[in-house]
Structures are given as structure tokens and as C-alpha cells.
Amino acid sequence: MAKVRIDRENCIGCGACWALCPDFFEQNSDDGKSQVVEKYRVGGNPAEGEVPAELLNDVKSAAEGCPAQAITVEE
């Protein structure tokens, strides 16, 4: 299963990732930055998640579309 990391320090909260893949990414209501939806988080960490196969292409597209390059996908 692929893993995702969000560099929340570099995230600019533009919303591109959650617009492209709202099933995996969402906006943090406290700071406006991106986070992994709770269902896919690793150890409760909002910056790390495991990607189900059916969302992998969308998550990759979101990572590629991130203007701050704050999303890393490791397969």
C-alpha cells in the first residue's frame, strides 16, 4: 500500500489537493492547511496516510498538482 506524507510546514492551504481528491485530503479547520482524512491516517497523524489502491491515481494527481510540492507519495 502506498504511503503519503504532507509537509504541513510548507503547505500553503491552497485547496488543490482536497479539490482533486476529497476522499483522501481535507482542510484542517484550525490552521487551514491540508491533512489526510481520519479514515486513512497512520497512527492518528494528520500528515501521514496509507492510500487505498482505488484512490492512488487521484492522490498522485493531487501530489503533482500541489504548487508548494508539499505532498510525497511513496509506493
Side-chain angles (χ1 to χ4, degrees):
M1 187 176 289
K3 294 195 186 284
V4 165
R5 288 192 207 308
I6 303 170
D7 181 346
R8 297 190 77 248
E9 284 187 27
N10 287 329
C11 176
I12 59 174
C14 70
C17 62
W18 63 80
L20 288 166
C21 190
D23 291 334
F24 192 83
F25 299 102
E26 66 185 2
Q27 183 178 31
N28 180 292
S29 60
D30 293 330
D31 62 15
K33 295 184 178 188
S34 180
Q35 65 184 17
V36 175
V37 298
E38 193 169 353
K39 177 178 179 181
Y40 299 118
R41 289 181 194 166
V42 174
N45 183 346
E48 292 185 25
E50 291 188 341
V51 186
E54 66 271 14
L55 293 179
L56 185 56
N57 287 337
D58 290 341
V59 168
K60 284 181 176 178
S61 293
E64 290 167 9
C66 176
Q69 298 180 327
I71 302 170
T72 306
V73 180
E74 298 172 5
E75 289 189 70

